[in-house]
Structure formats: C-alpha cells, structure tokens
Amino acid sequence: MTLMDVLVDFAGTGRIGPLHCGMSLAEAEDLLGPGHPHPAHVMKGHDIDGCPYSWGGLKLVITQRTVSGIWIGLWPGSTAKLPPLVLPDSESFEATVPREELLTVLDDMGCRHAVNDTLTFGQQSSILTQPADVIAVFSLPGRDQHVPQRDRHYLDVMHKHTA
C-alpha cells in the first residue's frame, strides 16, 4: 500500500482503513495506540471538544469523546510519518503529492470531485470529493519546502468532518 492508495481510499470513502467519523476515541486508541492529545486536552481535561489527538501526520478531532474529524497532514518536500494502521510497512514516506497527480488518480478511480470555492483563494486551491465529502487543500510551496517544481500546487492536508 502506498500513500496515494491511502489518500484515494480516504477521498472515496471518508474512512482510513477502520478509522471513521463517529467512532469513539477509545476505539481509535485501541486501533492506533495512545494518541498525543492537543495541549488544550492536557490543560482543561479530556472532555474539551474540537481539539485533535495526533499520531504523526494523522490527527483525529474529538467531540464528546467521539471522532468528529480525520486529518492527514503533509509537508511537501519532506518525509512524514503515519501510524502502521494507516500506512502499513512504512515508518515514514515522501510527503510530496502534486495536485495534478492526485486529481488524475481520483479521476482514474472514478472518485468525483469539484472545486471547493470556500478554500480556493490566493495561492491555495481545494477540492471536495463526492460522495465522501473529503476536502483536499493544496498550495504553492513555501520557501523552506524543497519540491521538484515550485510553480505547482502540492497537497497540504486532506480532511473530513461530521456536522
């Protein structure tokens, strides 16, 4: 399994393997091991809503002890980490995903997507996949990001939220 496989599956299903919005934090931690809670959780207690738990590049937003959002964060031009449950047999991976490459694979797999006008502005662009309602956000690379082509948009984050 490759990073692109994980991204395309997430875009099409809204799930990352067995991880999905609506599952309990306890279920997620049973699968992933203990997460690293956001400092707000540490300061104010575990019942605070909307702050993520993280496992490397994977973040789960928790609301009322339930997963309300799933995020995969990438830093183009670098190496990133995802838990083995998400990307088996890979301690770390190349985190550079050009927008055109992801869109081509989504099209080839029959995953519909449209421009997300809310998050498309300036040097940033975004798509919303259907029917899974996963958002992908792309941007031009920053000065400290070492990418092959500086004039291309690269994936920064893919995420899904429940209402």
Side-chain angles (χ1 to χ4, degrees):
M1 178 174 278
T2 67
L3 174 62
M4 188 62 77
D5 295 330
V6 171
L7 298 174
V8 170
D9 188 51
F10 184 34
T13 66
R15 300 173 69 104
I16 298 177
L19 302 173
H20 60 90
C21 291
M23 72 188 307
S24 72
L25 173 59
E27 290 173 299
E29 287 190 314
D30 284 347
L31 293 168
L32 295 164
H36 301 285
H38 187 276
H41 286 285
V42 175
M43 290 174 45
K44 297 193 175 212
H46 292 287
D47 289 330
I48 188 169
D49 287 341
C51 296
Y53 279 69
S54 58
W55 292 262
L58 173 70
K59 291 184 178 24
L60 300 179
V61 179
I62 306 301
T63 304
Q64 297 179 358
R65 314 260 321 138
T66 301
V67 175
S68 60
I70 301 173
W71 291 68
I72 294 179
L74 302 176
W75 187 255
S78 70
T79 301
K81 293 183 181 187
L82 287 173
L85 176 75
V86 175
L87 193 58
D89 302 322
S90 178
E91 174 71 20
S92 60
F93 58 92
E94 170 60 38
T96 305
V97 179
R99 177 180 59 190
E100 294 79 17
E101 185 178 327
L102 179 61
L103 296 181
T104 297
V105 175
L106 291 176
D107 289 341
D108 290 348
M109 299 304 289
C111 180
R112 294 177 312 177
H113 53 88
V115 172
N116 179 355
D117 291 326
T118 304
L119 295 175
T120 298
F121 53 85
Q123 295 185 354
Q124 174 177 300
S125 63
S126 178
I127 62 166
L128 176 66
T129 67
Q130 293 299 322
D133 291 328
V134 172
I135 295 171
V137 180
F138 308 87
S139 66
L140 291 173
R143 281 180 245 164
D144 54 346
Q145 292 175 310
H146 304 288
V147 296
Q149 295 175 293
R150 302 207 51 79
D151 61 339
R152 294 178 75 179
H153 279 88
Y154 293 90
L155 182 63
D156 290 321
V157 65
M158 283 185 82
H159 59 92
K160 177 178 178 66
H161 289 279
T162 57

